[in-house]
Amino acid sequence: WPERAAGFDRCGWSIHFTKEDEPSGGPSLGLPAAVAFASAMLDVAVSPALVFTGAVSYDAAGRLAVRPIGELGRKLEAVLHAGADALVFPAAQREEAFSGQVVPPAFAREIAAPVATFDEAIRIAFEGVAVRA
């Protein structure tokens, strides 16, 4: 939606997430924060049944890449307990997700949505969403 991006540079943006038990932060917050910003700036909602994790940085080709993060198994476990539909996570960690070390591989395959780029994550986030004019 490039027509909605004209005003991005006119604004300063910041974001702070808190949880009841501990503060959120670190590299794994990069992808969820980027998706939240895109959602707010484009005025397009993201399904609350989707969970995102991953670091975001530019790759050698100048694309926004989704980079590995720590404790992926624990994040899969949290998705299992939360009842979410999908976990969008770094594609480089596909093998780790399906290893069965923390959650059953069948469950991981059911909810896994590995992505290599921010564009892939946005396609999942906004899939089937009608854009408001």
Side-chain angles (χ1 to χ4, degrees):
W1 297 287
E3 69 279 2
R4 292 178 176 237
F8 286 7
D9 291 336
R10 292 180 303 156
C11 302
W13 301 92
S14 66
I15 191 166
H16 178 75
F17 291 99
T18 59
K19 298 185 292 191
E20 290 179 14
D21 57 343
E22 62 186 69
S24 295
S28 61
L29 188 59
L31 181 60
V35 170
F37 276 121
S39 173
M41 288 186 279
L42 297 171
D43 194 24
V44 178
V46 176
S47 169
L50 297 175
V51 177
F52 296 83
T53 190
V56 177
S57 67
Y58 283 101
D59 65 11
R63 295 173 301 197
L64 278 176
V66 179
R67 304 283 189 198
I69 43 84
E71 301 288 334
L72 180 62
R74 296 292 170 216
K75 291 169 175 75
L76 284 163
E77 183 178 39
V79 169
L80 172 65
H81 293 296
D85 291 343
L87 174 64
V88 181
F89 65 93
Q93 292 180 276
R94 181 187 312 262
E95 188 175 312
E96 180 183 348
F98 301 144
S99 71
Q101 292 179 1
V102 180
V103 299
F107 170 75
R109 282 190 295 277
E110 184 179 312
I111 60 102
V115 297
T117 66
F118 180 65
D119 287 345
E120 292 174 20
I122 288 297
R123 279 193 287 279
I124 291 170
F126 300 151
E127 184 176 22
V129 174
V131 179
R132 289 171 255 164

